[in-house]
Amino acid sequence: MPVRLLCLVLLALCAGPALAQQHFNILVYHHVAEDTPASTSVSPATFRQHLTYLRDNGHPVIALKTALDAVRNDEALPDGAVVITFDDAFKNIYTNAFPLLQEFNAPFTIFAATDPIDQGFNDMLSWDQLREMQAWGATVANHSRDHGYLVRHSPRDNAWREQMAASIRHAQQRLETELGDEVPRWFAYPYGEYSEGLKSILQNENYIGFAQHSGGVYRGSDFYALPRFAAAGVYSRLETLGTKLDSHPMPVNLASVPDMPTTDVQPSMTIRVDDTSDMSRLLNCFVDSAWQDARWIDDHQFQLSAPEPLSPGRHRFNCTAQARSGNFFYWYSQPWLVLAD
Ligand SMILES: [Zn+2]
């Protein structure tokens, strides 16, 4: 019997696990150094600890392209697969992280803003260093031209759209000129800040987008704003990082996810999860770092609201639910960029 037909017959068996099975988690780092801002740094010793933990705890580090292709084409991925990314192209990636990544044979991706490299800033990677890492197997992708606050403008303004598209195109052209055609069309939003307007630019230009909120990647993810788990600063502790690495993406119905950014200072989200069969009904939700009660509206939808007005800037709603089938959590994160009116 063809697999598809078999699945139709055994719908309950095929639908549940298939949703969550093909997934991977992405880590985002910035600095690997002792003398850089603590909130965006891990020390070389901590980075070695992370790589050792991944190796010894069933988390194969795979290339981002391999992971994306597998999820999008529904091909097999190793259980617990993890992708390592670095934003901003700081020089300490070459001096401190690259030797360790080679030692552990761990592929990685660097999202680079191109102007600081072109300007030859002392603490940034050079094109030669990027070429050397690329020759080893690293991937270098787009993090805009100048790392501006892309979203904090009027998103319906045509001049804004043109300016944003031009920044992305310029960076892509510089990357391709220096590194060749193997530079993928991947874009990491500066500060993880995205909007519906920016996402539509990526869509028009045929990019995959990467943000900076928590959660894993699966076939149903928003490929214009894929989540990545922060792994630096307070997020570098192995106890909490381990829980994130074991987590599966909550299979949220994207049609129900709110737009970004918002001028609503007390935002509320209603999240629809079509298949809740493997999820505990007990949700554990946080608004930024404060626990917040979330309520189920019906069998498939829950609601979470900010308990008080949020300040302008970046915020996160995070919700997890324990799996029934194993010792892991289903994870969903919604970033909010609250704009001052
Ligand atoms: Zn950045």
Side-chain angles (χ1 to χ4, degrees):
M1 192 184 291
V3 172
R4 189 168 294 233
L5 186 59
L6 190 67
C7 279
L8 278 176
V9 174
L10 303 171
L11 194 60
L13 274 178
C14 294
L19 266 176
Q21 238 162 32
Q22 299 300 329
H23 74 274
F24 62 95
N25 288 318
I26 310 177
L27 298 178
V28 53
Y29 296 90
H30 288 79
H31 294 283
V32 177
E34 306 262 17
D35 55 353
T36 46
S39 65
T40 52
S41 301
V42 289
S43 67
T46 301
F47 192 58
R48 173 183 284 281
Q49 265 184 1
H50 286 189
L51 291 170
T52 307
Y53 181 89
L54 294 170
R55 184 195 62 199
D56 296 346
N57 290 276
H59 293 293
V61 179
I62 62 173
L64 182 49
K65 183 176 190 312
T66 309
L68 290 169
D69 286 352
V71 158
R72 297 185 109 190
N73 304 328
D74 234 351
E75 289 158 7
L77 260 180
D79 275 351
V82 169
V83 166
I84 292 179
T85 66
F86 299 92
D87 279 10
D88 302 348
F90 293 114
K91 183 158 283 173
N92 52 56
I93 301 313
Y94 179 80
T95 49
N96 296 337
F98 186 41
L100 292 169
L101 291 156
Q102 287 175 296
E103 181 186 329
F104 284 83
N105 202 22
F108 60 100
T109 293
I110 297 174
F111 287 99
T114 54
D115 275 1
I117 301 172
D118 279 333
Q119 287 154 5
F121 288 145
N122 215 9
D123 56 347
M124 305 310 289
L125 292 164
S126 68
W127 290 115
D128 277 342
Q129 288 166 335
L130 286 164
R131 272 188 286 272
E132 186 185 331
M133 289 190 279
Q134 186 189 39
W136 179 79
T139 305
V140 185
N142 195 328
H143 196 34
S144 84
R145 175 176 184 163
D146 58 0
H147 209 283
Y149 287 102
L150 306 189
V151 180
R152 300 187 186 198
H153 305 271
S154 166
R156 278 166 201 84
D157 175 339
N158 276 336
W160 173 87
R161 281 188 72 88
E162 255 326 297
Q163 200 188 332
M164 292 307 104
S167 169
I168 294 167
R169 281 188 208 127
H170 175 91
Q172 191 71 16
Q173 198 177 45
R174 288 297 300 128
L175 290 166
E176 287 175 12
T177 301
E178 296 290 345
L179 304 170
D181 329 328
E182 61 207 85
V183 174
R185 289 177 96 79
W186 300 341
F187 183 77
Y189 299 102
Y191 311 99
E193 293 184 353
Y194 64 90
S195 64
E196 297 313 302
L198 265 185
K199 277 165 59 172
S200 76
I201 293 170
L202 291 200
Q203 191 166 10
N204 287 342
E205 309 262 328
N206 203 22
Y207 281 82
I208 295 175
F210 297 85
Q212 281 184 42
H213 52 290
S214 299
V217 179
Y218 73 115
R219 197 188 171 94
S221 293
D222 180 355
F223 281 82
Y224 301 110
L226 292 177
R228 295 181 293 166
F229 282 107
V234 293
Y235 303 110
S236 64
R237 287 173 47 238
L238 281 175
E239 305 86 89
T240 46
L241 198 60
T243 304
K244 293 170 181 176
L245 291 165
D246 290 337
S247 73
H248 292 205
M250 195 182 284
V252 159
N253 181 337
L254 284 175
S256 65
V257 171
D259 283 358
M260 276 262 287
T262 181
T263 50
D264 180 358
V265 295
Q266 206 163 350
S268 176
M269 70 176 185
T270 302
I271 291 300
R272 184 176 172 83
V273 185
D274 289 331
D275 181 1
T276 56
S277 57
D278 192 40
M279 275 171 52
S280 158
R281 297 293 285 175
L282 270 178
L283 291 166
N284 208 17
C285 293
F286 290 81
V287 172
D288 295 326
S289 55
W291 186 86
Q292 184 61 32
D293 197 18
R295 64 188 58 191
W296 287 95
I297 301 167
D298 57 33
D299 283 351
H300 293 281
Q301 298 184 87
F302 64 87
Q303 196 173 47
L304 179 65
S305 306
E308 53 197 34
L310 301 176
S311 57
R314 293 188 291 276
H315 299 273
R316 298 277 184 275
F317 285 9
N318 275 293
C319 287
T320 59
Q322 176 81 48
R324 295 180 195 279
S325 64
N327 187 22
F328 64 89
F329 289 93
Y330 288 97
W331 198 301
Y332 180 73
S333 173
Q334 171 67 37
W336 295 102
L337 178 63
V338 177
L339 297 179
D341 243 340

